[in-house]
Amino acid sequence: MLPLFIIVVFGAASYSRNLVWREGLSLWEDVAVKSPEKARAHNNLANVYGELGLKDRAVEGYKKALGKYPEFAGFHVNLGNAYKAQGRTEEAAAEYEKALELEPDNVMAHNNLGTLYREAAMFDEAVREFQEALGLAPDNPGIHYNLGYAYEGKGLIDEAVTEYERAVEISPGMAEPHNSLGNIYSRHGRTDAAVSEYLLAVKYKPGYAEAYNNLANVYKEKGLAVEARAAYRKAIEIRPEFAEARHNLASLYVRMGRVEEGIAEYRRAIELKPVAVFHYSLARALEAAGSGDEAAAHYSEFIEASPEAYRPQVEEAKKRLELLSGKP
């Protein structure tokens, strides 16, 4: 899943992160205790709670702010963001809609409501909200990116490319549109262009594990095994729990003839995320390594768990299982 950009309303001065946010916690807790009637104090305290991952406290803080000043659209946007962070999407949408009732030109509410629609695959509604937001803030690169992502969901690739390119024109150091452009170029066989975009993505965001994984996939497709291995390992170094990158690295190892290393990575991937297709990949590698009994067990796991999308692989797994069991 690609990131979407949520816009956050901050009523307080901008803090950096971690230590500074914790210092802000002490400050705004003190202000909220001494001035409980001030909506701004509760809002700013809730901002700090949200940054520190204290989601329930953030929700309660924004509710207190709204209790003091219910007609302020920004507090509704913030409460919507807090609900979204908790996975309470319907309540988040209700808060964004309330903000728009109070302030129809609220850019943040349009954008953030659009992200909910996009994540729910309601692409027409998402496009509408992002276009509304861009009508109010035409030079906001995050909204251009979000609109491009919604266009991709609708299959409007040329329009998506236009929006991604506009985002990086406005903000050249914004990594996410470069990654998305790389994905589009990769899907259309423009591997050199894809590599260039992924390299820009990781240049501007060195901790971008997804972009390193995508870069590695293209290197693998181009037959650049050494470069692919380095990029997969970088993705995993950044995010050790990145199961898909481990699965992809495993397939590279198998392709390179380093089957045992591939099996080890497949096992780690399954430990992290036991999805059906990982069992199929591990079964193929185990069979190649001569471990027929264990391969059969993983083919069975795959067959039992596989969705309809993997029908060809399921049929192949059934054939392999019959061969391994000695049935005619």
Side-chain angles (χ1 to χ4, degrees), residues 8-31 40-59 61-62 78 82:
V8 181
V9 184
F10 286 115
S14 177
Y15 297 96
S16 49
R17 297 256 187 241
N18 298 330
L19 178 61
V20 179
W21 281 109
R22 292 194 176 280
E23 292 173 351
L25 177 62
S26 298
L27 167 65
W28 288 110
E29 282 183 335
D30 184 61
V31 173
R40 179 172 175 265
H42 293 294
N43 178 75
N44 294 349
L45 178 57
N47 290 341
V48 178
Y49 284 145
E51 285 295 319
L52 294 174
L54 302 172
K55 300 175 184 179
D56 293 344
R57 291 189 184 183
V59 166
Y62 292 131
N78 280 351

Side-chain angles (χ1 to χ4, degrees), residues 96-106 109-110 113 129:
Y96 297 145
E97 289 166 354
K98 180 62 177 178
L100 290 170
E101 287 178 20
L102 295 167
E103 188 180 326
D105 290 344
N106 190 296
H110 281 297
L113 184 57
E129 293 299 332

Side-chain angles (χ1 to χ4, degrees), residues 147-268:
L147 178 56
Y149 196 13
Y151 278 141
E152 267 202 88
K154 285 172 62 68
L156 301 174
I157 303 305
D158 290 343
E159 289 85 347
V161 168
T162 297
E163 293 302 324
Y164 293 145
E165 289 177 342
R166 179 60 179 145
V168 297
E169 179 185 344
I170 297 168
S171 181
M174 188 177 178
E176 288 79 6
H178 287 295
N179 181 64
S180 293
L181 285 168
N183 291 342
I184 290 174
Y185 294 148
S186 176
R187 289 197 300 270
H188 288 79
R190 298 176 58 188
T191 55
D192 289 340
V195 166
S196 295
E197 292 297 336
Y198 292 139
L199 288 173
L200 286 170
V202 298
K203 172 185 176 182
Y204 295 128
K205 188 176 178 181
Y208 202 168
E210 291 82 1
Y212 274 111
N213 180 64
N214 294 338
L215 174 62
N217 288 339
V218 177
Y219 280 147
K220 183 167 64 174
E221 182 181 343
K222 289 168 68 69
L224 301 173
V226 174
E227 291 85 349
R229 177 177 178 271
Y232 284 136
R233 289 176 65 86
K234 184 64 176 178
I236 293 166
E237 175 189 327
I238 294 166
R239 211 170 87 203
E241 74 283 3
F242 195 171
E244 288 79 6
R246 290 190 179 278
H247 177 266
N248 293 341
L249 176 59
S251 71
L252 176 66
Y253 280 142
V254 171
R255 182 183 296 187
M256 295 169 68
R258 297 164 62 171
V259 178
E260 291 302 326
E261 288 173 272
I263 288 171
E265 285 297 338
Y266 282 138
R267 292 190 195 281
R268 293 189 189 102

Side-chain angles (χ1 to χ4, degrees), residues 98-161:
K98 180 62 177 178
L100 290 170
E101 287 178 20
L102 295 167
E103 188 180 326
D105 290 344
N106 190 296
V107 176
M108 293 160 281
H110 281 297
N111 177 77
N112 297 0
L113 184 57
T115 66
L116 291 180
Y117 286 141
R118 174 61 183 84
E119 290 170 358
M122 299 171 65
F123 303 122
D124 291 337
E125 292 85 350
V127 166
R128 181 193 69 219
E129 293 299 332
F130 294 138
Q131 287 176 336
E132 289 278 356
L134 282 174
L136 299 164
D139 293 326
N140 186 304
I143 303 173
H144 280 285
Y145 171 79
N146 286 348
L147 178 56
Y149 196 13
Y151 278 141
E152 267 202 88
K154 285 172 62 68
L156 301 174
I157 303 305
D158 290 343
E159 289 85 347
V161 168

